[in-house]
């Protein structure tokens, strides 16, 4: 297990939030035996304006230096993480002309790098291992600029054009070729990244098993109306057509959706049915108890080229509380073949929901829990650390 190292995480997510993040889970656990500096998602001036208008939450005072830019956070892994907020940067993704984009983005990375290097010096964190989490734009700009001993690209999803446009693809490919190694969360992503970097490894997502297992089902409950549960972001990945078909054909089932509603069409189409309820997002610690109320959990992602890269966090969360799972065939996950129902179309989706509910048993509940117990974040952190050590030995 990795010990005594200085780790800098260039993240594409925030530390805090309404859903579990693999980057946060891994860094929390690695911080027990290493010094970890987590660099928060680079907020823009647009985020500041939206925060002032109460449309979102961003750490404005820390971004502007009116409060400490770096704080120490105690983690569930019995460690401490340095949490650094970068200065506000310019929103540049809308710029179509590459030459102009490079000028303004170069200014952004200058500000980002300046604050990061200053904090590394203040904390005495020398020769860091840099882990860039799904952020090739800023990761590429930092390569060789932080006196790092190792540069690792942590890629937990396929690249899409929704935010950065088509320029994300050459940036991702270039970054993949210059790092010392890549860690991905699915077998499909590994095959993709191996084209650009032979040092590509898989560390699949995990679950906070000790937390979720506290709320695990003990036995199948006899209920008049069964609950189909979904907890998580409802966004562009969500297969509305399949879910609506299930809602229409299973009128004696209650469908409950909890999470951040990013795609308004989901509620517009599903909210009109009497057996559908929507609830606001909850904190990660509240998720296990809610999941345990469900008689079956669903992962209704669209089957497309982007989603086939996904290893969903939800799958182990459902299993940890003993809940059966029905998902679309958006990704190839053979390790769950005996535990999860995979539907290739909306008709199969409905049949699978009925089958999982009607054939559930106390024994199947315990089998699901046993499978999930092998996928704890503690185990995944060890795998991740082992990969980093392997890459360091290769570089010697």
């Amino acid at each position: 297990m990795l010990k005594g190292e200085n780790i800098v995480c260039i993240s594409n997510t925030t530390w805090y939030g309404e859903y579990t993040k693999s980057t946060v889970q891994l860094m929390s656990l690695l911080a027990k035996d290493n010094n970890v500096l987590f660099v928060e998602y680079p907020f823009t001036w647009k985020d500041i304006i939206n925060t002032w208008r109460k449309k979102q939450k961003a750490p404005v005072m820390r971004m502007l230096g009116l409060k400490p830019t770096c704080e120490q956070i105690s983690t569930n892994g019995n460690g401490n993480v340095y949490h650094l907020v970068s200065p506000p940067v310019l929103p540049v993704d809308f710029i179509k002309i590459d030459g102009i984009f490079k000028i303004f983005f170069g200014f952004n990375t200058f500000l980002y790098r300046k604050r990061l290097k200053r904090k590394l010096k203040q904390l005495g964190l020398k020769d860091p291992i840099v882990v860039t989490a799904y952020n090739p734009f800023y990761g590429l700009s930092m390569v060789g600029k932080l006196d790092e001993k190792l540069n690792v690209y942590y890629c937990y999803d396929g690249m899409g054009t929704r935010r950065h446009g088509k320029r994300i693809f050459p940036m991702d490919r270039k970054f993949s070729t210059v790092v010392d190694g890549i860690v991905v969360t699915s077998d499909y992503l590994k095959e993709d990244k191996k084209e650009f970097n032979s040092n590509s490894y898989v560390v699949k997502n995990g679950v906070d098993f000790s937390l979720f297992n506290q709320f695990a089902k003990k036995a199948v409950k006899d209920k008049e109306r069964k609950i189909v549960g979904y907890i998580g972001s409802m966004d562009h990945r969500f297969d509305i057509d399949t879910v609506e078909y299930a809602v229409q054909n299973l009128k004696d089932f209650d469908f409950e959706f909890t999470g951040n509603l990013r795609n308004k069409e989901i509620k517009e189409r599903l909210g009109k049915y009497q057996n559908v309820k929507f609830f606001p997002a909850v904190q990660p610690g509240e998720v296990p108890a809610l999941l345990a109320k469900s008689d079956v959990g669903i992962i209704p992602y669209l089957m497309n080229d982007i989603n086939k890269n996904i290893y969903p966090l939800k799958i182990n969360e459902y299993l940890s509380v003993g809940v059966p799972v029905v998902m679309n065939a958006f990704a190839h996950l053979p390790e769950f073949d005996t535990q999860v129902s995979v539907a290739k179309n909306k008709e199969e989706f409905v049949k699978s929901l009925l089958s999982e509910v009607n054939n559930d048993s106390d024994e199947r509940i315990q089998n699901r829990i046993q499978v999930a117990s092998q996928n704890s974040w503690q185990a995944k952190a060890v795998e991740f650390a082992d990969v980093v050590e392997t890459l360091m030995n290769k570089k010697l």
Side-chain angles (χ1 to χ4, degrees):
M1 184 71 175
L2 206 64
K3 289 187 178 181
E5 297 290 346
N6 299 322
I7 301 173
V8 174
C9 180
I10 297 175
S11 178
N12 193 43
T13 69
T14 59
W15 182 271
Y16 302 104
E18 298 167 336
Y19 58 93
T20 302
K21 301 161 188 175
S22 60
T23 308
V24 172
Q25 294 292 328
L26 292 172
M27 292 301 129
S28 294
L29 292 163
L30 291 174
K32 180 181 179 181
D33 297 310
N34 302 276
N35 301 309
V36 175
L37 175 61
F38 180 94
V39 190
E40 184 83 351
Y41 162 83
F43 290 102
T44 71
W45 284 98
K46 181 180 178 181
D47 295 314
I48 289 181
I49 294 171
N50 284 337
T51 298
W52 285 338
R53 296 173 65 186
K54 298 183 179 180
K55 290 187 174 183
Q56 71 175 84
K57 292 182 180 180
V60 173
M61 300 297 281
R62 293 177 64 192
M63 291 160 63
L64 298 175
L66 300 177
K67 286 187 175 181
T69 59
C70 189
E71 296 179 349
Q72 205 167 22
I73 300 172
S74 296
T75 73
N76 292 333
N78 298 319
N80 292 294
V81 169
Y82 295 107
H83 179 261
L84 178 66
V85 174
S86 61
V89 296
L90 300 170
V92 296
D93 287 326
F94 70 94
I95 299 174
K96 303 298 182 184
I97 302 173
D98 285 343
I100 297 175
F101 170 83
K102 289 178 181 178
I103 292 172
F104 285 100
F105 184 68
F107 176 74
N108 286 350
T109 56
F110 168 77
L111 294 176
Y112 185 97
R113 183 170 59 249
K114 183 178 180 182
R115 180 168 289 183
L116 174 53
K117 292 189 72 170
R118 181 187 300 159
K119 186 52 59 178
L120 285 172
K121 185 176 181 180
Q122 289 174 352
L123 296 173
L125 303 181
K126 298 180 180 179
D127 304 317
I129 296 167
V130 176
V131 177
T132 299
Y134 201 61
N135 193 347
F137 273 91
Y138 280 84
L140 183 60
S141 301
M142 299 300 123
V143 172
K145 305 292 176 57
L146 303 176
D147 298 322
E148 65 269 21
K149 67 163 63 173
L150 194 74
N151 219 306
V152 180
Y153 184 13
Y154 178 47
C155 191
Y156 48 78
D157 213 340
M159 291 295 165
T161 60
R162 291 181 64 85
R163 181 181 171 197
H164 298 293
K166 292 183 179 180
R167 61 167 60 103
I168 186 66
F169 298 119
M171 190 71 70
D172 173 67
R173 288 193 293 269
K174 185 175 181 180
F175 185 51
S176 297
T177 62
V178 299
V179 293
D180 298 301
I182 303 175
V183 180
V184 298
T185 53
S186 74
D187 296 321
Y188 186 88
L189 264 179
K190 178 184 176 182
E191 293 307 309
D192 178 60
K193 294 301 178 188
K194 279 177 66 177
E195 293 185 28
F196 311 106
N197 194 313
S198 59
N199 291 324
S200 295
Y201 301 83
V202 178
V203 177
K204 296 182 178 179
N205 286 327
V207 63
D208 188 345
F209 183 77
S210 59
L211 171 64
F212 278 78
N213 191 239
Q214 295 176 40
F215 301 89
K217 294 174 178 290
K218 306 300 183 194
V220 177
K221 294 182 180 180
D222 185 21
K223 294 158 60 177
E224 183 177 347
R225 293 185 66 84
K226 300 294 186 178
I227 296 176
V228 179
Y230 175 89
I231 298 181
S233 294
M234 286 167 272
D235 51 28
H236 60 282
R237 299 174 298 179
F238 195 96
D239 185 352
I240 307 175
D241 291 339
T242 293
V243 176
E244 184 172 31
Y245 182 81
V247 169
Q248 291 170 337
N249 285 273
L250 298 173
K251 292 183 172 61
D252 54 343
F253 282 50
D254 289 323
F255 290 75
E256 297 186 354
F257 303 96
T258 302
N260 190 352
L261 191 65
R262 297 181 179 180
N263 183 353
K264 304 302 180 184
E265 185 185 356
I266 296 172
K267 190 170 185 179
E268 289 172 2
R269 287 180 54 180
L270 302 181
K272 61 188 177 184
Y273 297 100
Q274 292 185 348
N275 58 334
V276 172
K277 294 180 181 178
F278 286 91
F279 301 95
V282 297
Q283 292 300 311
E286 301 175 69
V287 170
L290 284 177
L291 286 183
K293 288 173 52 182
S294 300
D295 296 289
V296 59
I298 57 173
I299 311 177
Y301 291 163
L302 290 164
M303 292 177 279
N304 57 35
D305 284 341
I306 295 178
N307 291 345
K308 65 186 177 183
N309 299 287
I310 295 176
Y311 179 106
L313 285 163
K314 295 178 186 63
I315 199 165
N316 282 304
E317 293 178 349
Y318 287 131
L319 296 177
S320 291
V321 294
V323 172
V325 181
V326 174
M327 59 179 275
N328 283 348
F330 59 86
H332 182 52
L333 301 168
E335 60 267 47
F336 295 108
D337 281 348
T338 61
Q339 296 296 331
V340 173
S341 288
V342 180
K344 296 179 181 177
N345 53 54
K346 59 186 180 182
E347 290 82 11
E348 283 190 15
F349 197 84
V350 169
K351 289 179 181 178
S352 295
L353 285 172
L354 288 168
S355 176
E356 288 291 352
V357 168
N358 293 332
N359 297 308
D360 203 7
S361 66
D362 299 352
E363 182 182 2
R364 294 185 74 183
I365 288 174
Q366 293 307 313
N367 286 340
R368 294 181 198 115
I369 294 170
Q370 175 59 30
V371 169
S373 69
Q374 300 170 24
N375 295 322
S376 69
W377 279 118
Q378 285 81 0
K380 300 304 176 182
V382 171
E383 289 181 37
F384 191 95
D386 287 346
V387 170
V388 172
E389 288 187 316
T390 297
L391 292 172
M392 285 197 296
N393 291 333
K394 282 189 173 185
K395 199 172 180 181
L396 292 176

